[in-house]
Amino acid sequence: MVQYYDYVLGVIPLVLVGLTALLTLAGLELTAAIPAGAGVAALIIGHALFINVPTHPTAESADTSQRVNTE
């Protein structure tokens, strides 16, 4: 099952390369397009690390997810 962080790891290189290429094709110099693409990729990484914080499952959530309905 694909989760949020799997999408983040896939989007980072796509944004870096895709946005850099798009800005270069739009007429921006490569030396300006690369930092712009890297900045957006850094914002995505920051969102994944600080806004949508990765958490470890607690003992309670792991225990309730393994229960089987015996009724």
Side-chain angles (χ1 to χ4, degrees), residues 53-67:
V53 180
T55 58
H56 295 289
T58 61
E60 289 179 10
S61 65
D63 183 39
T64 58
S65 65
Q66 294 178 358
R67 290 185 187 169

Side-chain angles (χ1 to χ4, degrees), residues 18-63:
L19 186 60
T20 300
L22 184 66
L23 290 174
T24 303
L25 291 175
L28 197 62
E29 292 288 329
L30 186 62
T31 55
I34 291 174
V40 173
L43 288 174
I44 293 171
I45 294 168
H47 183 272
L49 288 175
F50 300 113
I51 305 300
N52 193 2
V53 180
T55 58
H56 295 289
T58 61
E60 289 179 10
S61 65
D63 183 39

